[in-house]
Every structure is written in structure tokens, then in C-alpha cells.
Short mmCIF file of all heavy atoms in Angstrom, two decimals:
data_model
loop_
_atom_site.label_atom_id
_atom_site.label_comp_id
_atom_site.label_asym_id
_atom_site.label_seq_id
_atom_site.Cartn_x
_atom_site.Cartn_y
_atom_site.Cartn_z
N MET A 1 -11.24 -15.68 40.47
CA MET A 1 -10.13 -14.75 40.30
C MET A 1 -10.16 -13.78 41.49
O MET A 1 -11.19 -13.20 41.79
CB MET A 1 -10.30 -13.97 38.99
CG MET A 1 -9.25 -12.91 38.78
SD MET A 1 -9.51 -11.92 37.29
CE MET A 1 -9.65 -13.12 36.03
N PRO A 2 -9.00 -13.60 42.12
CA PRO A 2 -8.95 -12.66 43.25
C PRO A 2 -9.27 -11.24 42.80
O PRO A 2 -8.96 -10.83 41.68
CB PRO A 2 -7.50 -12.76 43.73
CG PRO A 2 -6.98 -14.06 43.20
CD PRO A 2 -7.76 -14.34 41.96
N ALA A 3 -9.86 -10.50 43.68
CA ALA A 3 -10.29 -9.13 43.36
C ALA A 3 -9.12 -8.22 43.06
O ALA A 3 -9.25 -7.28 42.27
CB ALA A 3 -11.11 -8.56 44.52
N ASP A 4 -7.96 -8.50 43.63
CA ASP A 4 -6.81 -7.62 43.39
C ASP A 4 -6.22 -7.79 42.00
O ASP A 4 -5.42 -6.99 41.56
CB ASP A 4 -5.73 -7.83 44.47
CG ASP A 4 -5.17 -9.25 44.48
OD1 ASP A 4 -5.82 -10.14 43.92
OD2 ASP A 4 -4.08 -9.43 45.05
N GLN A 5 -6.61 -8.82 41.26
CA GLN A 5 -6.11 -9.01 39.89
C GLN A 5 -7.00 -8.36 38.85
O GLN A 5 -6.60 -8.19 37.72
CB GLN A 5 -5.97 -10.51 39.58
CG GLN A 5 -4.81 -11.16 40.31
CD GLN A 5 -4.61 -12.59 39.88
OE1 GLN A 5 -5.39 -13.13 39.11
NE2 GLN A 5 -3.58 -13.21 40.41
N THR A 6 -8.21 -8.01 39.21
CA THR A 6 -9.15 -7.43 38.26
C THR A 6 -8.63 -6.17 37.58
O THR A 6 -8.70 -6.07 36.36
CB THR A 6 -10.50 -7.16 38.95
OG1 THR A 6 -10.98 -8.38 39.50
CG2 THR A 6 -11.51 -6.61 37.96
N PRO A 7 -8.06 -5.21 38.31
CA PRO A 7 -7.54 -4.03 37.62
C PRO A 7 -6.43 -4.38 36.61
O PRO A 7 -6.36 -3.79 35.53
CB PRO A 7 -6.99 -3.16 38.74
CG PRO A 7 -7.75 -3.58 39.94
CD PRO A 7 -8.00 -5.06 39.75
N ASP A 8 -5.59 -5.35 36.93
CA ASP A 8 -4.54 -5.75 36.00
C ASP A 8 -5.13 -6.32 34.71
O ASP A 8 -4.67 -6.01 33.62
CB ASP A 8 -3.61 -6.79 36.64
CG ASP A 8 -2.74 -6.19 37.74
OD1 ASP A 8 -2.53 -4.95 37.73
OD2 ASP A 8 -2.29 -6.96 38.61
N VAL A 9 -6.14 -7.14 34.86
CA VAL A 9 -6.79 -7.73 33.69
C VAL A 9 -7.46 -6.62 32.87
O VAL A 9 -7.37 -6.62 31.64
CB VAL A 9 -7.81 -8.81 34.11
CG1 VAL A 9 -8.64 -9.27 32.92
CG2 VAL A 9 -7.10 -9.98 34.76
N GLU A 10 -8.10 -5.69 33.54
CA GLU A 10 -8.74 -4.59 32.83
C GLU A 10 -7.70 -3.72 32.13
O GLU A 10 -7.92 -3.29 30.99
CB GLU A 10 -9.57 -3.75 33.80
CG GLU A 10 -10.81 -4.47 34.29
CD GLU A 10 -11.57 -3.70 35.36
OE1 GLU A 10 -11.15 -2.57 35.71
OE2 GLU A 10 -12.60 -4.23 35.84
N ASP A 11 -6.57 -3.50 32.79
CA ASP A 11 -5.48 -2.74 32.15
C ASP A 11 -4.95 -3.47 30.93
O ASP A 11 -4.69 -2.87 29.88
CB ASP A 11 -4.34 -2.49 33.14
CG ASP A 11 -4.69 -1.46 34.20
OD1 ASP A 11 -5.68 -0.72 34.02
OD2 ASP A 11 -3.96 -1.40 35.22
N GLN A 12 -4.80 -4.78 31.07
CA GLN A 12 -4.32 -5.57 29.93
C GLN A 12 -5.31 -5.51 28.78
O GLN A 12 -4.92 -5.39 27.62
CB GLN A 12 -4.08 -7.03 30.35
CG GLN A 12 -2.88 -7.21 31.25
CD GLN A 12 -2.73 -8.64 31.72
OE1 GLN A 12 -3.59 -9.49 31.50
NE2 GLN A 12 -1.61 -8.91 32.38
N LEU A 13 -6.59 -5.58 29.11
CA LEU A 13 -7.63 -5.51 28.08
C LEU A 13 -7.59 -4.14 27.39
O LEU A 13 -7.65 -4.06 26.16
CB LEU A 13 -9.00 -5.77 28.69
CG LEU A 13 -10.18 -5.74 27.73
CD1 LEU A 13 -9.99 -6.76 26.61
CD2 LEU A 13 -11.47 -6.00 28.47
N ASP A 14 -7.48 -3.08 28.17
CA ASP A 14 -7.38 -1.74 27.60
C ASP A 14 -6.15 -1.62 26.70
O ASP A 14 -6.22 -1.05 25.60
CB ASP A 14 -7.31 -0.68 28.70
CG ASP A 14 -8.65 -0.48 29.40
OD1 ASP A 14 -9.69 -0.90 28.85
OD2 ASP A 14 -8.63 0.10 30.51
N ASN A 15 -5.03 -2.16 27.17
CA ASN A 15 -3.80 -2.11 26.37
C ASN A 15 -3.96 -2.88 25.06
O ASN A 15 -3.50 -2.42 24.01
CB ASN A 15 -2.61 -2.66 27.17
CG ASN A 15 -2.19 -1.75 28.31
OD1 ASN A 15 -2.51 -0.56 28.31
ND2 ASN A 15 -1.51 -2.30 29.29
N LEU A 16 -4.59 -4.04 25.14
CA LEU A 16 -4.82 -4.82 23.92
C LEU A 16 -5.76 -4.11 22.96
O LEU A 16 -5.54 -4.12 21.75
CB LEU A 16 -5.36 -6.21 24.28
CG LEU A 16 -4.36 -7.17 24.92
CD1 LEU A 16 -5.07 -8.43 25.39
CD2 LEU A 16 -3.23 -7.50 23.97
N GLN A 17 -6.79 -3.48 23.49
CA GLN A 17 -7.71 -2.74 22.63
C GLN A 17 -7.00 -1.58 21.96
O GLN A 17 -7.21 -1.31 20.77
CB GLN A 17 -8.91 -2.25 23.44
CG GLN A 17 -9.86 -3.37 23.83
CD GLN A 17 -10.97 -2.91 24.75
OE1 GLN A 17 -10.83 -1.94 25.49
NE2 GLN A 17 -12.09 -3.63 24.72
N THR A 18 -6.16 -0.90 22.70
CA THR A 18 -5.38 0.20 22.13
C THR A 18 -4.44 -0.33 21.04
O THR A 18 -4.31 0.28 19.97
CB THR A 18 -4.56 0.92 23.23
OG1 THR A 18 -5.47 1.44 24.19
CG2 THR A 18 -3.73 2.03 22.65
N GLU A 19 -3.82 -1.44 21.31
CA GLU A 19 -2.90 -2.03 20.33
C GLU A 19 -3.64 -2.44 19.06
O GLU A 19 -3.16 -2.22 17.95
CB GLU A 19 -2.19 -3.24 20.94
CG GLU A 19 -1.09 -3.80 20.07
CD GLU A 19 -0.29 -4.90 20.75
OE1 GLU A 19 -0.37 -5.05 21.97
OE2 GLU A 19 0.43 -5.60 20.01
N VAL A 20 -4.83 -3.01 19.23
CA VAL A 20 -5.64 -3.39 18.07
C VAL A 20 -6.01 -2.15 17.25
O VAL A 20 -5.93 -2.16 16.01
CB VAL A 20 -6.90 -4.18 18.51
CG1 VAL A 20 -7.90 -4.29 17.37
CG2 VAL A 20 -6.52 -5.56 19.02
N GLU A 21 -6.40 -1.09 17.92
CA GLU A 21 -6.74 0.15 17.21
C GLU A 21 -5.53 0.70 16.46
O GLU A 21 -5.66 1.15 15.31
CB GLU A 21 -7.27 1.19 18.20
CG GLU A 21 -8.64 0.86 18.75
CD GLU A 21 -9.07 1.80 19.88
OE1 GLU A 21 -8.38 2.80 20.13
OE2 GLU A 21 -10.11 1.51 20.50
N ASP A 22 -4.36 0.66 17.10
CA ASP A 22 -3.13 1.12 16.44
C ASP A 22 -2.83 0.27 15.22
O ASP A 22 -2.45 0.80 14.16
CB ASP A 22 -1.95 1.09 17.41
CG ASP A 22 -2.04 2.14 18.50
OD1 ASP A 22 -2.85 3.09 18.37
OD2 ASP A 22 -1.30 2.01 19.51
N LEU A 23 -2.99 -1.03 15.35
CA LEU A 23 -2.72 -1.92 14.22
C LEU A 23 -3.71 -1.67 13.08
O LEU A 23 -3.34 -1.70 11.90
CB LEU A 23 -2.77 -3.38 14.67
CG LEU A 23 -1.61 -3.82 15.55
CD1 LEU A 23 -1.87 -5.22 16.12
CD2 LEU A 23 -0.29 -3.79 14.79
N ARG A 24 -4.96 -1.40 13.42
CA ARG A 24 -5.96 -1.08 12.38
C ARG A 24 -5.58 0.21 11.66
O ARG A 24 -5.70 0.30 10.44
CB ARG A 24 -7.35 -0.96 13.00
CG ARG A 24 -7.96 -2.28 13.34
CD ARG A 24 -9.38 -2.11 13.86
NE ARG A 24 -9.94 -3.41 14.19
CZ ARG A 24 -10.82 -3.63 15.15
NH1 ARG A 24 -11.27 -2.61 15.87
NH2 ARG A 24 -11.29 -4.83 15.38
N ASP A 25 -5.13 1.20 12.42
CA ASP A 25 -4.70 2.46 11.81
C ASP A 25 -3.50 2.24 10.89
O ASP A 25 -3.44 2.79 9.78
CB ASP A 25 -4.33 3.49 12.88
CG ASP A 25 -5.54 4.00 13.66
OD1 ASP A 25 -6.69 3.81 13.17
OD2 ASP A 25 -5.34 4.57 14.74
N GLN A 26 -2.56 1.43 11.35
CA GLN A 26 -1.38 1.13 10.53
C GLN A 26 -1.79 0.40 9.25
O GLN A 26 -1.27 0.68 8.17
CB GLN A 26 -0.37 0.28 11.30
CG GLN A 26 0.33 1.04 12.41
CD GLN A 26 1.26 0.14 13.22
OE1 GLN A 26 1.57 -0.97 12.83
NE2 GLN A 26 1.70 0.65 14.36
N LEU A 27 -2.71 -0.54 9.38
CA LEU A 27 -3.20 -1.28 8.21
C LEU A 27 -3.86 -0.33 7.23
O LEU A 27 -3.63 -0.41 6.01
CB LEU A 27 -4.18 -2.37 8.64
CG LEU A 27 -4.83 -3.16 7.51
CD1 LEU A 27 -3.77 -3.86 6.67
CD2 LEU A 27 -5.84 -4.14 8.06
N SER A 28 -4.64 0.59 7.75
CA SER A 28 -5.31 1.57 6.89
C SER A 28 -4.28 2.43 6.15
O SER A 28 -4.41 2.65 4.94
CB SER A 28 -6.24 2.45 7.73
OG SER A 28 -6.83 3.45 6.94
N ASP A 29 -3.27 2.89 6.88
CA ASP A 29 -2.22 3.70 6.25
C ASP A 29 -1.48 2.90 5.18
O ASP A 29 -1.21 3.42 4.09
CB ASP A 29 -1.22 4.19 7.30
CG ASP A 29 -1.83 5.21 8.26
OD1 ASP A 29 -2.91 5.76 7.95
OD2 ASP A 29 -1.22 5.45 9.32
N LEU A 30 -1.16 1.66 5.49
CA LEU A 30 -0.45 0.82 4.53
C LEU A 30 -1.30 0.52 3.30
O LEU A 30 -0.80 0.49 2.17
CB LEU A 30 0.00 -0.49 5.18
CG LEU A 30 1.14 -0.36 6.19
CD1 LEU A 30 1.34 -1.68 6.93
CD2 LEU A 30 2.42 0.09 5.51
N THR A 31 -2.58 0.35 3.51
CA THR A 31 -3.49 0.10 2.39
C THR A 31 -3.56 1.32 1.47
O THR A 31 -3.51 1.19 0.24
CB THR A 31 -4.89 -0.27 2.90
OG1 THR A 31 -4.79 -1.44 3.72
CG2 THR A 31 -5.85 -0.53 1.76
N LYS A 32 -3.64 2.51 2.07
CA LYS A 32 -3.65 3.74 1.27
C LYS A 32 -2.35 3.88 0.49
O LYS A 32 -2.35 4.22 -0.70
CB LYS A 32 -3.85 4.96 2.16
CG LYS A 32 -5.24 5.09 2.72
CD LYS A 32 -5.35 6.27 3.67
CE LYS A 32 -6.69 6.31 4.37
NZ LYS A 32 -6.76 7.39 5.37
N GLU A 33 -1.23 3.62 1.16
CA GLU A 33 0.08 3.72 0.50
C GLU A 33 0.18 2.72 -0.64
O GLU A 33 0.67 3.03 -1.72
CB GLU A 33 1.19 3.50 1.52
CG GLU A 33 2.58 3.68 0.94
CD GLU A 33 3.68 3.51 1.97
OE1 GLU A 33 3.39 3.36 3.16
OE2 GLU A 33 4.85 3.54 1.57
N ARG A 34 -0.29 1.49 -0.41
CA ARG A 34 -0.28 0.47 -1.46
C ARG A 34 -1.10 0.92 -2.67
O ARG A 34 -0.66 0.79 -3.82
CB ARG A 34 -0.83 -0.85 -0.92
CG ARG A 34 -0.81 -1.97 -1.98
CD ARG A 34 -1.86 -3.01 -1.78
NE ARG A 34 -3.18 -2.42 -1.79
CZ ARG A 34 -4.24 -2.96 -1.22
NH1 ARG A 34 -4.14 -4.10 -0.57
NH2 ARG A 34 -5.41 -2.38 -1.29
N ASP A 35 -2.28 1.49 -2.41
CA ASP A 35 -3.14 1.94 -3.50
C ASP A 35 -2.48 3.07 -4.28
O ASP A 35 -2.56 3.12 -5.52
CB ASP A 35 -4.49 2.39 -2.95
CG ASP A 35 -5.31 1.22 -2.41
OD1 ASP A 35 -4.97 0.05 -2.68
OD2 ASP A 35 -6.30 1.50 -1.68
N GLN A 36 -1.80 3.98 -3.57
CA GLN A 36 -1.10 5.07 -4.25
C GLN A 36 0.05 4.53 -5.10
O GLN A 36 0.25 4.96 -6.24
CB GLN A 36 -0.56 6.08 -3.23
CG GLN A 36 -1.65 6.88 -2.56
CD GLN A 36 -1.13 7.73 -1.40
OE1 GLN A 36 -0.02 7.54 -0.93
NE2 GLN A 36 -1.96 8.66 -0.94
N LEU A 37 0.80 3.60 -4.55
CA LEU A 37 1.91 3.01 -5.30
C LEU A 37 1.40 2.24 -6.51
O LEU A 37 2.00 2.29 -7.59
CB LEU A 37 2.75 2.10 -4.40
CG LEU A 37 3.57 2.81 -3.33
CD1 LEU A 37 4.17 1.80 -2.37
CD2 LEU A 37 4.65 3.66 -3.96
N GLN A 38 0.29 1.55 -6.35
CA GLN A 38 -0.29 0.82 -7.47
C GLN A 38 -0.71 1.77 -8.59
O GLN A 38 -0.49 1.50 -9.77
CB GLN A 38 -1.49 0.00 -7.00
CG GLN A 38 -2.06 -0.92 -8.06
CD GLN A 38 -3.13 -1.84 -7.49
OE1 GLN A 38 -3.42 -1.80 -6.30
NE2 GLN A 38 -3.71 -2.65 -8.34
N ALA A 39 -1.28 2.91 -8.22
CA ALA A 39 -1.66 3.90 -9.22
C ALA A 39 -0.43 4.45 -9.93
O ALA A 39 -0.45 4.64 -11.16
CB ALA A 39 -2.45 5.03 -8.56
N GLU A 40 0.66 4.68 -9.19
CA GLU A 40 1.89 5.16 -9.80
C GLU A 40 2.47 4.12 -10.76
O GLU A 40 2.96 4.46 -11.84
CB GLU A 40 2.92 5.51 -8.73
CG GLU A 40 2.59 6.77 -7.96
CD GLU A 40 3.63 7.10 -6.89
OE1 GLU A 40 4.83 6.85 -7.14
OE2 GLU A 40 3.24 7.60 -5.83
N VAL A 41 2.41 2.86 -10.37
CA VAL A 41 2.90 1.78 -11.23
C VAL A 41 2.10 1.75 -12.53
O VAL A 41 2.67 1.59 -13.62
CB VAL A 41 2.84 0.42 -10.51
CG1 VAL A 41 3.01 -0.74 -11.48
CG2 VAL A 41 3.89 0.36 -9.41
N GLU A 42 0.79 1.91 -12.43
CA GLU A 42 -0.05 1.90 -13.62
C GLU A 42 0.32 3.06 -14.55
O GLU A 42 0.40 2.88 -15.77
CB GLU A 42 -1.52 1.96 -13.24
CG GLU A 42 -2.01 0.67 -12.61
CD GLU A 42 -3.43 0.76 -12.06
OE1 GLU A 42 -4.10 1.79 -12.28
OE2 GLU A 42 -3.85 -0.20 -11.40
N LYS A 43 0.56 4.25 -13.98
CA LYS A 43 0.95 5.40 -14.80
C LYS A 43 2.29 5.15 -15.47
O LYS A 43 2.45 5.43 -16.67
CB LYS A 43 1.04 6.67 -13.94
CG LYS A 43 -0.29 7.20 -13.48
CD LYS A 43 -0.11 8.42 -12.60
CE LYS A 43 -1.42 8.89 -12.01
NZ LYS A 43 -1.25 10.03 -11.10
N LEU A 44 3.24 4.61 -14.72
CA LEU A 44 4.55 4.33 -15.30
C LEU A 44 4.48 3.24 -16.36
O LEU A 44 5.17 3.32 -17.38
CB LEU A 44 5.55 3.94 -14.20
CG LEU A 44 5.97 5.06 -13.27
CD1 LEU A 44 6.80 4.51 -12.11
CD2 LEU A 44 6.75 6.13 -14.01
N THR A 45 3.63 2.27 -16.14
CA THR A 45 3.45 1.21 -17.14
C THR A 45 2.91 1.79 -18.44
O THR A 45 3.35 1.41 -19.53
CB THR A 45 2.51 0.12 -16.59
OG1 THR A 45 3.09 -0.42 -15.40
CG2 THR A 45 2.30 -0.99 -17.59
N GLU A 46 1.97 2.72 -18.32
CA GLU A 46 1.43 3.38 -19.52
C GLU A 46 2.52 4.18 -20.23
O GLU A 46 2.61 4.16 -21.46
CB GLU A 46 0.27 4.29 -19.14
CG GLU A 46 -0.99 3.55 -18.73
CD GLU A 46 -2.09 4.49 -18.26
OE1 GLU A 46 -2.02 5.70 -18.56
OE2 GLU A 46 -3.02 4.01 -17.59
N LYS A 47 3.35 4.88 -19.46
CA LYS A 47 4.44 5.66 -20.06
C LYS A 47 5.42 4.76 -20.79
O LYS A 47 5.90 5.08 -21.88
CB LYS A 47 5.18 6.48 -19.00
CG LYS A 47 4.39 7.67 -18.49
CD LYS A 47 5.21 8.47 -17.49
CE LYS A 47 4.46 9.69 -17.02
NZ LYS A 47 5.24 10.52 -16.10
N VAL A 48 5.74 3.62 -20.19
CA VAL A 48 6.67 2.67 -20.82
C VAL A 48 6.06 2.14 -22.11
O VAL A 48 6.74 2.05 -23.14
CB VAL A 48 7.02 1.52 -19.85
CG1 VAL A 48 7.72 0.38 -20.57
CG2 VAL A 48 7.89 2.03 -18.70
N ALA A 49 4.79 1.81 -22.08
CA ALA A 49 4.12 1.30 -23.28
C ALA A 49 4.13 2.35 -24.39
O ALA A 49 4.39 2.04 -25.56
CB ALA A 49 2.69 0.87 -22.95
N THR A 50 3.87 3.61 -24.03
CA THR A 50 3.89 4.70 -25.01
C THR A 50 5.29 4.87 -25.58
O THR A 50 5.46 5.00 -26.81
CB THR A 50 3.41 6.01 -24.37
OG1 THR A 50 2.07 5.82 -23.89
CG2 THR A 50 3.45 7.16 -25.35
N ALA A 51 6.29 4.85 -24.72
CA ALA A 51 7.66 5.01 -25.18
C ALA A 51 8.05 3.85 -26.10
O ALA A 51 8.70 4.05 -27.12
CB ALA A 51 8.61 5.08 -23.99
N ARG A 52 7.64 2.63 -25.74
CA ARG A 52 7.93 1.46 -26.57
C ARG A 52 7.30 1.62 -27.95
O ARG A 52 7.93 1.36 -28.98
CB ARG A 52 7.42 0.19 -25.90
CG ARG A 52 7.75 -1.07 -26.69
CD ARG A 52 7.19 -2.34 -26.05
NE ARG A 52 7.65 -2.51 -24.69
CZ ARG A 52 6.85 -2.59 -23.62
NH1 ARG A 52 5.53 -2.50 -23.77
NH2 ARG A 52 7.33 -2.74 -22.42
N ASP A 53 6.06 2.07 -27.98
CA ASP A 53 5.37 2.28 -29.27
C ASP A 53 6.11 3.33 -30.11
O ASP A 53 6.28 3.16 -31.33
CB ASP A 53 3.92 2.72 -29.04
CG ASP A 53 3.07 1.61 -28.46
OD1 ASP A 53 3.48 0.43 -28.50
OD2 ASP A 53 1.97 1.92 -27.94
N GLU A 54 6.55 4.41 -29.46
CA GLU A 54 7.26 5.46 -30.18
C GLU A 54 8.60 4.95 -30.72
O GLU A 54 8.98 5.27 -31.85
CB GLU A 54 7.48 6.67 -29.28
CG GLU A 54 6.19 7.42 -28.96
CD GLU A 54 6.38 8.53 -27.94
OE1 GLU A 54 7.51 8.70 -27.43
OE2 GLU A 54 5.39 9.21 -27.63
N ILE A 55 9.29 4.15 -29.94
CA ILE A 55 10.57 3.59 -30.40
C ILE A 55 10.34 2.65 -31.57
O ILE A 55 11.08 2.71 -32.58
CB ILE A 55 11.28 2.85 -29.24
CG1 ILE A 55 11.77 3.86 -28.21
CG2 ILE A 55 12.43 1.99 -29.74
CD1 ILE A 55 12.24 3.24 -26.91
N GLU A 56 9.33 1.80 -31.48
CA GLU A 56 9.03 0.87 -32.58
C GLU A 56 8.67 1.65 -33.84
O GLU A 56 9.10 1.29 -34.94
CB GLU A 56 7.91 -0.08 -32.18
CG GLU A 56 8.33 -1.11 -31.16
CD GLU A 56 7.18 -1.97 -30.67
OE1 GLU A 56 6.00 -1.71 -31.06
OE2 GLU A 56 7.44 -2.89 -29.88
N GLU A 57 7.90 2.72 -33.70
CA GLU A 57 7.52 3.52 -34.85
C GLU A 57 8.76 4.18 -35.46
O GLU A 57 8.92 4.23 -36.68
CB GLU A 57 6.50 4.59 -34.42
CG GLU A 57 5.94 5.41 -35.58
CD GLU A 57 4.89 6.39 -35.12
OE1 GLU A 57 4.13 6.06 -34.20
OE2 GLU A 57 4.83 7.49 -35.71
N THR A 58 9.64 4.68 -34.61
CA THR A 58 10.88 5.29 -35.10
C THR A 58 11.73 4.27 -35.83
O THR A 58 12.28 4.56 -36.91
CB THR A 58 11.68 5.89 -33.92
OG1 THR A 58 10.88 6.89 -33.29
CG2 THR A 58 12.97 6.52 -34.41
N LEU A 59 11.84 3.08 -35.29
CA LEU A 59 12.64 2.03 -35.95
C LEU A 59 12.04 1.63 -37.29
O LEU A 59 12.76 1.41 -38.26
CB LEU A 59 12.75 0.81 -35.03
CG LEU A 59 13.64 0.98 -33.80
CD1 LEU A 59 13.57 -0.25 -32.91
CD2 LEU A 59 15.07 1.28 -34.20
N ARG A 60 10.72 1.56 -37.34
CA ARG A 60 10.08 1.25 -38.63
C ARG A 60 10.38 2.36 -39.65
O ARG A 60 10.64 2.09 -40.81
CB ARG A 60 8.56 1.09 -38.44
CG ARG A 60 8.15 -0.25 -37.90
CD ARG A 60 6.65 -0.46 -38.03
NE ARG A 60 5.87 0.48 -37.23
CZ ARG A 60 5.50 0.29 -35.97
NH1 ARG A 60 5.83 -0.81 -35.33
NH2 ARG A 60 4.79 1.20 -35.33
N GLY A 61 10.35 3.59 -39.18
CA GLY A 61 10.66 4.72 -40.06
C GLY A 61 12.10 4.67 -40.54
O GLY A 61 12.39 4.97 -41.69
N LEU A 62 13.02 4.27 -39.70
CA LEU A 62 14.42 4.16 -40.09
C LEU A 62 14.64 3.02 -41.08
O LEU A 62 15.48 3.11 -41.98
CB LEU A 62 15.32 3.95 -38.87
CG LEU A 62 15.45 5.14 -37.91
CD1 LEU A 62 16.22 4.74 -36.67
CD2 LEU A 62 16.11 6.31 -38.60
N ASN A 63 13.88 1.97 -40.93
CA ASN A 63 14.01 0.82 -41.85
C ASN A 63 13.47 1.14 -43.24
O ASN A 63 13.86 0.51 -44.20
CB ASN A 63 13.28 -0.41 -41.28
CG ASN A 63 14.05 -1.02 -40.12
OD1 ASN A 63 15.25 -0.86 -40.01
ND2 ASN A 63 13.33 -1.69 -39.25
N ARG A 64 12.60 2.11 -43.34
CA ARG A 64 12.05 2.50 -44.65
C ARG A 64 13.07 3.28 -45.46
O ARG A 64 13.02 3.31 -46.67
CB ARG A 64 10.79 3.35 -44.47
CG ARG A 64 9.63 2.57 -43.94
CD ARG A 64 8.39 3.45 -43.86
NE ARG A 64 7.47 2.87 -42.89
CZ ARG A 64 6.66 3.55 -42.12
NH1 ARG A 64 6.65 4.87 -42.19
NH2 ARG A 64 5.86 2.97 -41.29
N ASP A 65 13.95 3.99 -44.76
CA ASP A 65 14.92 4.84 -45.46
C ASP A 65 15.98 4.06 -46.15
O ASP A 65 16.29 3.07 -46.34
CB ASP A 65 15.60 5.81 -44.47
CG ASP A 65 14.58 6.81 -43.92
OD1 ASP A 65 13.52 6.98 -44.53
OD2 ASP A 65 14.87 7.40 -42.87
#
């Protein structure tokens, strides 16, 4: 490899390393966001289940009357 191409290759390597670090940071952010959304889904699922139970109980009470 000619000596005049070495800085270009090193620049490309540096750029790729920077890009990899950026992608890792993005992955980390997306993973955190996914975990937060998953926790919210679990909370909402619990609320829906509670509401369903309350509705069923109310309907049973109405059927007794």
C-alpha cells in the first residue's frame, strides 16, 4: 500500500469506529425505551384486567337483581 493512502485508511478506520460507537449508543437508547414501553404495557394490561374484573362483577350483580 502506498504511503500516501495510509492517512485515508486511518481516517476511514476512525470514522468507522465513531460510527460503531454511535450505533451502540443508539442501540442502548432504544433498548432503554423498549424496556420503558414494556413496563408501561404491563401496567396498562393490569389496569385492563382490573377493569374487566370490575365490569364482570357489576354484571353479575345486575343479573342478581
Side-chain angles (χ1 to χ4, degrees):
M1 176 184 307
D4 62 342
Q5 288 185 356
T6 303
D8 290 338
V9 171
E10 289 175 1
D11 288 345
Q12 289 176 352
L13 181 57
D14 287 343
N15 290 340
L16 288 172
Q17 288 174 333
T18 299
E19 188 174 344
V20 166
E21 290 172 8
D22 290 345
L23 289 171
R24 284 184 180 149
D25 290 343
Q26 289 176 13
L27 176 60
S28 177
D29 292 344
L30 288 171
T31 301
K32 288 176 187 176
E33 184 177 354
R34 181 207 58 203
D35 292 346
Q36 290 171 346
L37 290 171
Q38 187 173 359
E40 288 180 36
V41 166
E42 289 173 7
K43 288 178 186 177
L44 289 172
T45 301
E46 289 176 17
K47 287 183 178 183
V48 167
T50 300
R52 183 182 303 121
D53 291 344
E54 290 174 358
I55 290 169
E56 288 174 356
E57 186 177 324
T58 300
L59 289 175
R60 280 193 296 271
L62 291 173
N63 287 336
R64 290 183 203 148
D65 294 341

